[in-house]
């Protein structure tokens, strides 16, 4: 198979000058820490804006999107290079089909990622969704079972459709906080995370607005209702997670398939054999010897023994 041709990251030039400056600053910060390649995995349910988020980060229509077509089953990797830095963003199909985990899509994702290293996971959902249910926990559990709990040390929660007016006059920041808390609670339950499982205090949550109706500030940056220029903010948060001291996730066959069931419990075999010897076999041997010693000998055996000792 021919090697993938990595194109120049020209999409960065489409951003506002202030955004470009911030992105170059962040890329320089990563390179100073010897991070010259960054691979971002984008996962979540279908229809939440994963592909649009990939396009927004890259600054071009790298992944085709159609509201009238269902998502494909194969992941797509978009690779761009800039000033000695390589960015790989992997778009994946939605993990839900007919109300259940789509095992075929999940298997395709795992096969695609084999022998690759995941530096960042973007777990994507929508801000304008009011409910968190068991389906959310199932998606998180599927990701955790596939790549281990450690992947959440390298994760951001991305909430799309952030150019949004909360219902009932609820303040924007308050709605964002409640939505984040509910989703993070479901994430921790689905992944079985304890406080010590996640590097730092919590998994960061960032807001994204991929549509053309996103507002802009005076210097032409795309901003959210809270005034944050979201593209540099997302990249800055990614940079912080990359440099938080946790390890990237290398996807090998052992990680995907899990431990060999034939190896399970091998560590305990010598211990079990020792216990059997000292607490089962040895007591049985002692009991047999004791029974033999206590057993009364028949009269003919005693007579033969006494006669065998006479001299004629």
């Amino acid at each position: 198979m021919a090697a993938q041709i990595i194109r120049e990251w020209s999409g960065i030039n489409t951003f506002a000058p202030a955004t470009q400056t911030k992105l170059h600053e962040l890329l320089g910060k990563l390179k100073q820490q010897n991070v010259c390649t960054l691979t971002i995995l984008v996962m979540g349910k279908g229809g939440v804006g994963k592909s649009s988020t990939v396009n927004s980060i890259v600054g071009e229509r790298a992944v085709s999107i159609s509201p009238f077509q269902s998502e494909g089953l194969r992941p797509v990797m978009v690779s761009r290079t800039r000033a000695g830095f390589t960015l790989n963003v992997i778009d994946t199909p939605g993990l839900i089909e007919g109300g259940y985990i789509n095992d075929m899509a999940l298997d395709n994702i795992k096969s695609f990622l084999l022998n690759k290293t995941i530096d960042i996971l973007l777990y994507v959902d929508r801000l304008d969704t009011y409910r968190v249910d068991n389906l959310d926990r199932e998606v998180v559990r599927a990701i955790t079972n596939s790549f281990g709990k450690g992947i959440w040390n390298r994760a951001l929660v991305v909430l799309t459709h952030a150019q949004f007016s909360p219902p009932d006059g609820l303040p924007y920041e308050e709605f964002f906080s409640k939505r984040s808390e509910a989703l993070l609670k479901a994430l921790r339950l689905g992944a079985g995370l304890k406080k010590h499982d996640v590097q730092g205090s919590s998994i960061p949550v960032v807001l994204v607005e991929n549509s053309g109706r996103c507002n802009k500030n005076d210097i032409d940056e795309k901003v959210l209702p809270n005034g944050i220029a979201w593209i540099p903010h997302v990249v800055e948060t990614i940079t912080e997670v990359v440099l938080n001291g946790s390890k990237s996730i290398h996807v090998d066959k052992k990680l995907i398939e899990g431990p060999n069931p034939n190896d399970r419990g091998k560590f305990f075999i010598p211990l079990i054999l020792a216990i059997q010897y000292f607490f089962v076999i040895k007591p049985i041997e002692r009991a047999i010897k004791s029974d033999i010693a206590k057993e009364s000998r028949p009269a003919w055996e005693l007579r033969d023994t006494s006669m065998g000792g006479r001299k004629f």
Side-chain angles (χ1 to χ4, degrees), residues 47-99:
V48 295
K50 297 186 301 297
S51 299
S52 296
T53 300
V54 172
N55 290 341
S56 292
I57 291 173
V58 176
E60 61 181 276
R61 193 179 176 85
V63 181
S64 60
I65 303 168
S66 172
F68 305 108
Q69 293 180 356
S70 59
E71 294 181 317
L73 287 176
R74 301 292 304 176
V76 176
M77 183 162 75
V78 178
S79 297
R80 297 291 184 268
T81 184
R82 183 83 173 192
F85 183 90
T86 301
L87 174 68
N88 303 308
V89 189
I90 302 172
D91 188 26
T92 62
L95 294 179
I96 297 296
E97 181 72 31

Side-chain angles (χ1 to χ4, degrees), residues 226-246:
N226 58 7
I228 292 177
W230 74 261
I231 293 176
H233 177 66
V234 168
V235 177
E236 182 175 21
T237 308
I238 287 172
T239 302
E240 290 171 356
V241 173
V242 168
L243 301 179
N244 70 8
S246 61

